[in-house]
Amino acid sequence: EPEVTQTPSHQVTQMGQEVILRCVPISNHLYFYWYRQILGQKVEFLVSFYNNEISEKSEIFDDQFSVERPDGSNFTLKIRSTKLEDSAMYFCASTEVRDSLIHTDTQYFGPGTRLTVL
Amino acid sequence: AQKITQTQPGMFVQEKEAVTLDCTYDTSDPSYGLFWYKQPSSGEMIFLIYQGSYDQQNATEGRYSLNFQKARKSANLVISASQLGDSAMYFCAMREGKGSQGNLIFGKGTKLSVKP
């Protein structure tokens, strides 16, 4: 069964460093998302991406964040200058776009990347 | 106001019994979708079940069923015949508007512990 994959599974970085989190969405999916989950808290939406551009973003997704689809398979989240409060689990998700009028398209999540900022 | 409310931070259930996890939601959009995800201790998010706002019947997927009460704006997850492997966090989520591509809004989750 196809699945979303994410690398690395765990990233440790120093405050102020840049990190790139990588995701490979399910191959026939066209809509991609990043979410984050601070330890013990709920999952929060960061950004959605479609047709090589950002579709929607939350207030969390400030200028420190960027997303890119550098090739036909990868989808990346870059944090330019990490802060302690960026420590969280980051989930990539993807969905197949079949019918824009019906809410049947499920978002499938990757296993997550646990980012620790020291 | 919270869009998704899960009032049970933790629940216990005896193995082989059924358990209901509560979820209420708030939206003014007539078209929306409701989802349940399972997050085991390993951290991944596993899709369990989906209910559309226009669906006439409650969704079922194996041992999972969704008790959808639209007028009450509730979408409770029922797990029948609980297994030890069901011990995990369970998140209710909603997608409103924007067709099928809108982002999900999650509740705070319920931690389910299944006792042998």
Side-chain angles (χ1 to χ4, degrees):
Chain A
E1 187 174 325
E3 58 184 17
V4 178
T5 59
Q6 289 185 244
T7 53
S9 56
H10 193 183
Q11 174 96 43
V12 181
T13 189
Q14 295 291 326
M15 190 169 56
Q17 294 296 304
E18 174 184 285
V19 294
I20 298 176
L21 309 183
R22 291 182 168 77
C23 167
V24 179
I26 294 173
S27 62
N28 64 334
H29 286 190
L30 298 177
Y31 232 92
F32 315 123
Y33 310 81
W34 284 101
Y35 292 84
R36 80 171 185 190
Q37 184 184 30
I38 294 172
L39 187 64
Q41 298 187 22
K42 63 180 177 180
V43 179
E44 301 172 292
F45 166 73
L46 293 178
V47 65
S48 58
F49 191 86
Y50 174 70
N51 203 24
N52 281 321
E53 60 183 22
I54 289 174
S55 177
E56 193 173 5
K57 60 183 180 179
S58 72
E59 58 189 25
I60 302 170
F61 193 87
D62 61 22
D63 292 343
Q64 291 299 310
F65 292 90
S66 62
V67 289
E68 193 178 32
R69 187 155 165 82
D71 53 43
S73 59
N74 288 285
F75 178 52
T76 62
L77 174 70
K78 182 193 289 185
I79 309 175
R80 253 179 281 281
S81 177
T82 50
K83 303 188 278 281
L84 295 176
E85 53 265 39
D86 293 327
S87 293
M89 180 77 96
Y90 287 81
F91 291 103
C92 173
S94 70
T95 191
E96 182 183 11
V97 180
R98 287 174 294 173
D99 189 326
S100 62
L101 298 178
I102 300 174
H103 293 261
T104 55
D105 286 329
T106 296
Q107 289 183 24
Y108 292 94
F109 282 70
T113 292
R114 184 167 296 285
L115 176 65
T116 302
V117 182
L118 302 176
Chain B
Q2 289 202 46
K3 294 270 189 177
I4 295 286
T5 303
Q6 294 181 254
T7 56
Q8 307 151 314
M11 287 280 286
F12 287 91
V13 65
Q14 201 68 40
E15 193 179 7
K16 298 181 185 177
E17 292 186 351
V19 62
T20 297
L21 307 183
D22 294 342
C23 173
T24 57
Y25 59 92
D26 181 28
T27 182
S28 57
D29 196 317
S31 181
Y32 53 89
L34 297 157
F35 301 78
W36 278 92
Y37 287 85
K38 172 184 178 182
Q39 186 178 43
S41 57
S42 50
E44 70 267 35
M45 294 287 285
I46 302 167
F47 165 72
L48 295 179
I49 196 166
Y50 164 84
Q51 180 84 44
S53 58
Y54 293 120
D55 292 344
Q56 296 296 313
Q57 293 187 330
N58 287 343
T60 61
E61 288 285 349
R63 292 188 300 112
Y64 304 109
S65 60
L66 205 151
N67 183 2
F68 181 47
Q69 297 189 45
K70 197 170 181 177
R72 293 185 176 183
K73 292 189 175 177
S74 74
N76 299 338
L77 177 70
V78 180
I79 305 174
S80 63
S82 298
Q83 301 171 356
L84 296 178
D86 294 334
S87 293
M89 284 291 290
Y90 288 81
F91 291 96
C92 179
M94 176 174 66
R95 182 177 56 211
E96 54 182 2
K98 299 189 184 297
S100 61
Q101 297 85 41
N103 58 281
L104 298 179
I105 303 164
F106 284 82
K108 292 184 177 180
T110 294
K111 184 174 183 178
L112 177 67
S113 299
V114 180
K115 297 186 289 186

